[in-house]
Amino acid sequence: MPDRKPGLSPQNPKAWLQPGAPLPSASSASSTTSEPVASILLVDDHRPNLIALEAVLDPLRQRLVTAQSGEEALEHLTREEFALILMDVKMRGIDGFETAARVRGLDQARHTPIIFISGLPEDEDRLYRGYAQGAVDYVVKPFNPDILRAKVAVFVELHRRAEQIKRQEAALRQLERQASDEVFRRIMDTSMMGLLFSDYEGRVLEANDCFLSMVGYTRDDLKEGRLNWRQLSPPEYEHVHHDAVNELNIHGVTKQFEKEYIRKDGRRVSVLVGSARIETQRRNLTYVLDISERKRAEANVSLLAGAGEILSSSLDFRETLGQLARLVVPLLADWCAVDIQGQDGAIQRVAVQHADPAKVAFVRQIEERYPVDPASPTGVPSVLRTGQTAWVPEITDALLVAHTRDEQHLRIARELGLRSYVVVPLAARGRVLGAMTLVHAESGRRYTKADVQFAEELARRAALSVDNALLFEREVTVRKEVETLAEELKHSEAQFRLLAETMPQLVWTNRPDGHHEYFNQRWYDYTGLAPEDTGGEGWSQIIHPEEHERAIETWRQSLRTGEPYENQCRLRRADGVYRWFIGRAVASRDGVGRIVRWFGTYTDIDDQKRAEEERQRLVQALERSNKELDQFAYVTSHDLKAPLRGIANLSQWIEEDLADKMTAESRKQLDLLRGRVHRLENLIDGILSYSRAGRIREKPETIDVGKLLREMVELLAPPPETRVEIAPDMPVLVTERAPLQQTFLNLISNALKHAGRSDPEVRIGARDAGPFWEFSVSDNGSGIAPEYHDRIWGIFQTLKARDKVEGTGIGLSVVQKIVQSKGARAWVESSVGAGATFRFTWPKLEAREPSSPG
């Protein structure tokens, strides 16, 4: 989304004080009509000087009060409060220094900033005396009006911010008095993260439905006092719990930290936790975010990477499958077994793995006593026959009874504590080569649809590795057979030709000088050439032009050295189609080592070659995707957290500047502000990491779009002069809340940011578009030229330079991605000077259950 970054403004006064920062202009420093006017006291015994000061400060649009003596100034200060005092040093009666000393003796004015203005040459003693009397600055005439005006604007802004904090404190106290249990209940119940209150002893006093669902407890359990931190926390997290309590006692808030909870059913859930202490109520507020899916996705990515290294490390597939089983346990399963189907249909177990070797030995004994029935309608035999995954989310006792053979078999099965299993086929190029069995037992976990899909992907990669290894074994076997038979049959041409004619490869022989002697019939059938076409190097005419020179040079090199020939190239079939082959040839030698004949084959590897090319393309696409996602996460995190850090810094500066004036309550409120900023920064990190890890879908719910939009406009809190119109006929949808909310939020925010005028208008409408609703967000801004209509949807694309654009330029790309994930589309209608209308479609109805990540 085209954004603009914050620059120097009255809302960022500390930026003017940084080394090298430009001074604010009068227009940028002036208060808006909606901001309160500050009072500035001008003190000088010379009336023309006061008039000159009023002329310099008039563009600030603040209330200017004049006094022509120190005594008159003190009278004003006893009657009202001023944001700043500008005072001449040399005056009749009491001079500026004496007046400043008396100001510091007034309770209501002792902290009012004073800027001395002197017509005397700069002198260190006078400067020292001025700062000793509490002045914040000392200006010597003649002065630069812009610089003086900028300095005054800074203190006006600081005064305004301090007053704003006072008003906010009063408003917060009023809100605290007016808050009701019903309002707070609504906030908790509508939150998408777990929220709960606990006492200082760790008893859970109140929790929303999201948290109860997360840990598997009911509201009755909560009312009966069954929820306690120590009960929910596994023993190994005792130190984490202890550190969090200490941090809460010291700072009143905790940083976010990861841990696990024990659910009521005994399973564990990974969570992100943060707490804040509410001293007035003597209890703690804790928020909990379920990060189980993120953890699972991270583990899956790591597992796939490790599996890739294992599967590519060796052509001994039995060894690699054993290593793969060891990798899977316990990340994906408590038990893992891999079976291969032989050429005769027999089932051979090549790997079985568990964290406890004693259990592995025990299971092998059970398998010997109760061997697998190849005709079984379930389990591995069924998967090998059908090529379909077998998935049992919950292994019930009735299921154990139905599939065990006797009482002892049933007793052993119960002792193993099996909870859930999935059997996925090892299938490649249309053939089922084996099966991989994954079982959850003592961990208490259950396999979900997402787990099954991941297991199928893992099995697919393993199957390709097995298939490649089998192809290599067959190729090696064939090559050895050719070499052996060629040696044995070198004096029996008839027997050799009989063998060559029955082989599935293109077979040929050459004389020691490389001249062609023989091609088998399969060669002529494939190439369509006649024997007279293959004289000399005529046979090479079927090699693809791109590989021709290399193939010929490789063959000539073998002729020169006597080393075996090997080369991959495309050969033209009789119908003109090229297919990939691997050509190999070895030299047959006589008793003294002289080459007497070359025996060679061409083996069709076109299917394997294309499969490998497709795999490489997918890997490259995945790498590009991952790189783009990483860049997206980094930029998003940086741009989201930058303004938060600015808020924290500004609160710190205010506290430092008003250190002697702020009450303990004010400091507490600022501490709470900074604490919540830091917590929000951490929450951003967590959410971004979560979004990188996987594609998570929510459960669809019934949403009143009109109500959703009104809540969002209230959340955005546009300026009073902004007009936002929501059409009255907004639909009610069954869909995911967060994606729809994010889409509208980005488009409305975009319209508000780029209004570029004092009376911005945003209109939101909807119309029936068959199976979709078409929504529109229109503004009366400056519009977008047609040549940029496509560019603005690109990720990180802005229409202005980054130093003039607020944000990352990803908002519209996020909108596009969300809408496309719904099978819909988004587009813009605009021209320069005519505003812009962003439109997108949304399905009227989604499935009640969310789809799992692919």
Side-chain angles (χ1 to χ4, degrees):
M1 176 168 30
D3 296 334
R4 290 177 288 275
K5 295 188 179 293
L8 298 174
S9 70
Q11 287 70 34
N12 192 10
K14 282 290 183 178
W16 301 339
L17 304 181
Q18 304 304 315
L23 292 171
S25 66
S27 60
S28 67
S30 63
S31 300
T32 65
T33 57
S34 62
E35 295 175 352
V37 175
S39 295
I40 302 172
L41 182 59
L42 310 179
V43 186
D44 197 307
D45 61 350
H46 192 48
R47 182 60 185 169
N49 291 345
L50 291 174
I51 295 173
L53 279 175
E54 287 179 318
V56 169
L57 301 181
D58 182 66
L60 296 181
R61 300 293 186 264
Q62 305 301 316
R63 178 170 173 265
L64 304 178
V65 178
T66 61
Q68 291 187 251
S69 68
E71 292 85 350
E72 185 181 353
L74 292 171
E75 290 179 8
H76 283 295
L77 289 167
T78 58
R79 293 195 300 267
E80 62 177 301
E81 181 181 353
F82 289 90
L84 178 66
I85 303 171
L86 277 78
M87 185 158 52
D88 188 24
V89 173
K90 187 176 180 181
M91 295 188 296
R92 294 184 298 273
I94 59 173
D95 64 7
F97 294 143
E98 178 61 26
T99 303
R102 296 189 185 184
V103 169
R104 295 303 176 226
L106 298 175
D107 290 339
Q108 65 271 36
R110 67 175 56 190
H111 299 297
T112 304
I114 298 175
I115 296 178
F116 280 126
I117 300 177
S118 174
L120 299 174
E122 186 173 312
D123 179 83
E124 288 188 2
D125 290 339
R126 278 193 296 275
L127 289 174
Y128 176 78
R129 186 179 177 190
Y131 289 120
Q133 294 298 337
V136 296
D137 205 348
Y138 194 106
V139 178
V140 178
K141 300 176 184 177
F143 53 80
N144 185 309
D146 289 334
I147 293 178
L148 179 62
R149 188 163 46 242
K151 290 181 178 181
V152 171
V154 170
F155 289 101
V156 168
E157 178 65 15
L158 289 175
H159 177 76
R160 187 183 69 80
R161 291 300 177 93
E163 291 299 310
Q164 184 180 24
I165 290 173
K166 292 179 183 177
R167 291 194 298 273
Q168 289 173 347
E169 289 174 352
L172 284 174
R173 286 192 292 270
Q174 181 66 18
L175 287 175
E176 288 175 357
R177 289 191 294 268
Q178 295 176 351
S180 67
D181 291 341
E182 179 182 357
V183 173
F184 185 72
R185 164 61 61 188
R186 289 179 181 176
I187 293 174
M188 289 189 67
D189 289 345
T190 56
S191 176
M192 292 186 292
M193 67 172 61
L195 294 174
L196 64 148
F197 285 105
S198 61
D199 60 20
Y200 289 176
E201 285 70 42
R203 290 185 294 271
V204 179
L205 306 175
E206 185 59 62
N208 65 354
D209 291 338
C210 179
F211 177 76
L212 293 176
S213 174
M214 198 181 302
V215 295
Y217 284 84
T218 65
R219 195 155 292 281
D220 289 338
D221 294 327
L222 176 64
K223 292 178 181 178
E224 295 171 11
R226 298 176 187 168
L227 270 72
N228 186 285
W229 283 127
R230 295 193 178 278
Q231 175 187 357
L232 293 171
S233 297
E236 62 268 28
Y237 287 94
E238 176 63 27
H239 69 286
V240 176
H241 179 77
H242 182 268
D243 292 344
V245 171
N246 286 342
E247 188 176 5
L248 201 57
N249 290 335
I250 297 172
H251 302 293
V253 295
T254 67
K255 297 183 178 70
Q256 291 182 142
F257 57 92
E258 293 183 7
K259 63 175 297 184
E260 290 181 319
Y261 284 152
I262 301 175
R263 289 172 46 87
K264 185 178 180 180
D265 58 11
R267 288 185 288 166
R268 294 194 177 195
V269 56
S270 296
V271 293
L272 187 70
V273 184
S275 295
R277 175 149 292 175
I278 305 177
E279 295 288 356
T280 57
Q281 302 179 18
R282 291 193 58 77
R283 58 181 181 171
N284 300 323
L285 171 63
T286 300
Y287 64 88
V288 183
L289 188 67
D290 186 344
I291 58 172
S292 301
E293 287 301 313
R294 191 196 82 186
K295 287 291 188 181
R296 183 187 65 80
E298 290 174 350
N300 287 350
V301 170
S302 176
L303 197 153
L304 282 179
E309 294 180 3
I310 290 173
L311 295 173
S312 62
S313 64
S314 171
L315 287 171
D316 184 349
F317 69 86
R318 293 170 180 82
E319 173 61 26
T320 57
L321 290 177
Q323 294 181 30
L324 181 62
R326 289 190 288 274
L327 176 68
V328 164
V329 174
L331 295 176
L332 192 60
D334 298 321
W335 289 92
C336 177
V338 184
D339 298 280
I340 293 296
Q341 188 170 28
Q343 294 290 335
D344 57 356
I347 301 175
Q348 177 188 2
R349 176 147 291 179
V350 297
V352 60
Q353 188 65 31
H354 187 275
D356 185 354
K359 286 191 175 183
V360 174
F362 177 61
V363 167
R364 290 194 182 277
Q365 293 175 8
I366 298 174
E367 291 173 346
E368 292 177 2
R369 183 168 183 176
Y370 300 99
V372 175
D373 180 5
S376 174
T378 61
V380 172
S382 173
V383 172
L384 292 176
R385 286 194 304 272
T386 64
Q388 300 297 315
T389 296
W391 170 32
V392 177
E394 185 75 30
I395 300 177
T396 63
D397 192 68
L399 191 65
L400 294 179
V401 172
H403 290 85
T404 50
R405 301 179 187 178
D406 53 37
E407 287 298 324
Q408 185 176 5
H409 196 194
L410 177 60
R411 178 181 59 79
I412 294 172
R414 286 171 173 166
E415 290 176 354
L416 289 174
L418 309 180
R419 294 288 179 267
S420 179
Y421 82 83
V422 58
V423 184
V424 290
L426 301 178
R429 302 182 179 97
R431 294 189 304 127
V432 178
L433 307 175
M436 181 167 61
T437 304
L438 305 172
V439 182
H440 281 319
E442 57 269 18
S443 67
R445 295 177 290 179
R446 306 296 191 273
Y447 285 108
T448 65
K449 184 177 180 182
D451 295 326
V452 173
Q453 291 176 332
F454 178 76
E456 289 174 338
E457 172 61 19
L458 184 64
R460 185 187 67 80
R461 299 187 183 199
L464 286 174
S465 176
V466 172
D467 191 51
N468 288 335
L470 291 174
L471 287 174
F472 181 78
E473 285 185 358
R474 286 196 291 271
E475 177 63 25
V476 170
T477 300
V478 170
R479 185 174 65 181
K480 288 182 178 179
E481 289 175 352
V482 170
E483 293 172 353
T484 301
L485 290 174
E487 181 66 25
E488 293 176 352
L489 299 177
K490 61 183 177 181
H491 299 300
S492 179
E493 190 68 23
Q495 293 183 27
F496 165 74
R497 295 199 175 196
L498 178 63
L499 172 65
E501 293 298 334
T502 59
M503 291 180 62
Q505 286 97 345
L506 312 182
V507 182
W508 46 274
T509 64
N510 278 25
R511 295 192 311 222
D513 61 359
H515 192 276
H516 155 69
E517 281 187 329
Y518 164 80
F519 286 109
N520 66 352
Q521 186 59 42
R522 193 176 298 274
W523 161 274
Y524 294 113
D525 293 342
Y526 177 86
T527 64
L529 298 176
E532 58 271 17
D533 298 329
T534 60
E537 291 183 349
W539 59 271
S540 67
Q541 63 185 287
I542 66 167
I543 300 175
H544 194 283
E546 293 180 6
E547 290 93 41
H548 186 275
E549 182 176 353
R550 175 172 51 82
I552 293 298
E553 180 55 34
T554 303
W555 170 238
R556 290 173 178 170
Q557 177 68 14
S558 294
L559 290 178
R560 288 192 295 268
T561 63
E563 296 294 325
Y565 166 80
E566 181 170 326
N567 180 60
Q568 293 185 22
C569 61
R570 285 169 287 181
L571 301 182
R572 187 181 64 244
R573 201 166 56 191
D575 60 0
V577 175
Y578 284 90
R579 291 183 63 83
W580 280 97
F581 283 78
I582 182 168
R584 293 191 176 98
V586 294
S588 175
R589 301 176 185 271
D590 59 16
V592 295
R594 290 176 301 186
I595 297 175
V596 296
R597 180 176 291 180
W598 286 90
F599 294 88
T601 61
Y602 275 106
T603 304
D604 190 333
I605 59 169
D606 192 79
D607 292 340
Q608 299 95 304
K609 189 77 173 180
R610 296 185 188 280
E612 177 62 20
E613 290 174 349
E614 177 63 12
R615 187 186 71 82
Q616 291 292 337
R617 187 188 66 79
L618 292 175
V619 168
Q620 293 172 1
L622 180 60
E623 289 175 349
R624 289 193 300 270
S625 177
N626 288 340
K627 183 177 180 181
E628 181 177 307
L629 287 174
D630 287 341
Q631 184 181 6
F632 170 83
Y634 173 80
V635 175
T636 302
S637 175
H638 178 272
D639 284 359
L640 281 176
K641 291 191 291 186
L644 293 178
R645 296 193 188 102
I647 293 172
N649 290 340
L650 184 56
S651 69
Q652 185 67 44
W653 293 336
I654 292 174
E655 184 173 10
E656 292 172 358
D657 292 340
L658 304 177
D660 297 330
K661 186 177 179 181
M662 294 188 68
T663 64
E665 182 65 18
S666 297
R667 290 192 180 90
K668 179 180 177 181
Q669 295 297 334
L670 286 175
D671 287 340
L672 286 175
L673 174 64
R674 287 191 290 271
R676 289 166 184 166
V677 167
H678 293 317
R679 284 163 52 195
L680 186 54
E681 281 185 318
N682 293 334
L683 182 58
I684 289 170
D685 288 336
I687 292 173
L688 287 174
S689 299
Y690 186 78
S691 67
R692 286 199 302 266
R695 300 179 296 281
I696 307 303
R697 298 285 298 275
E698 300 176 6
K699 185 175 181 179
E701 58 180 291
T702 301
I703 297 175
D704 184 338
V705 177
K707 180 180 178 182
L708 177 71
L709 287 169
R710 288 190 292 273
E711 292 173 350
M712 290 169 57
V713 172
E714 182 179 354
L715 175 66
L716 288 170
E721 63 271 15
T722 300
R723 181 180 177 186
V724 180
E725 294 183 1
I726 301 174
D729 54 346
M730 286 294 166
V732 175
L733 300 177
V734 177
T735 187
E736 295 172 85
R737 174 178 292 272
L740 182 61
Q741 183 172 339
Q742 185 66 43
T743 300
F744 274 120
L745 187 64
N746 284 359
L747 293 178
I748 297 172
S749 299
N750 192 55
L752 293 174
K753 287 179 184 176
H754 303 299
R757 53 193 299 163
S758 61
D759 59 339
E761 293 183 4
V762 179
R763 300 178 302 282
I764 307 169
R767 75 173 187 88
D768 193 325
F772 295 86
W773 280 100
E774 180 185 303
F775 296 100
S776 63
V777 178
S778 304
D779 61 58
N780 62 344
S782 58
I784 303 171
E787 59 265 27
Y788 298 118
H789 286 189
D790 291 332
R791 172 182 168 184
I792 61 175
W793 300 100
I795 191 168
F796 308 130
Q797 294 296 316
T798 61
L799 299 183
K800 294 186 178 181
R802 281 302 177 94
D803 58 348
K804 298 180 180 178
V805 176
E806 179 182 3
T808 60
I810 63 172
L812 290 181
S813 65
V814 171
V815 169
Q816 186 76 281
K817 189 172 183 180
I818 291 174
V819 171
Q820 288 178 350
S821 74
K822 299 295 181 182
R825 68 189 187 100
W827 68 99
V828 64
E829 298 172 356
S830 178
S831 60
V832 176
T837 298
F838 287 86
R839 301 184 185 275
F840 69 93
T841 56
W842 200 270
K844 290 183 175 178
L845 187 65
E846 288 190 86
R848 280 284 180 180
E849 291 296 328
S851 60
S852 301

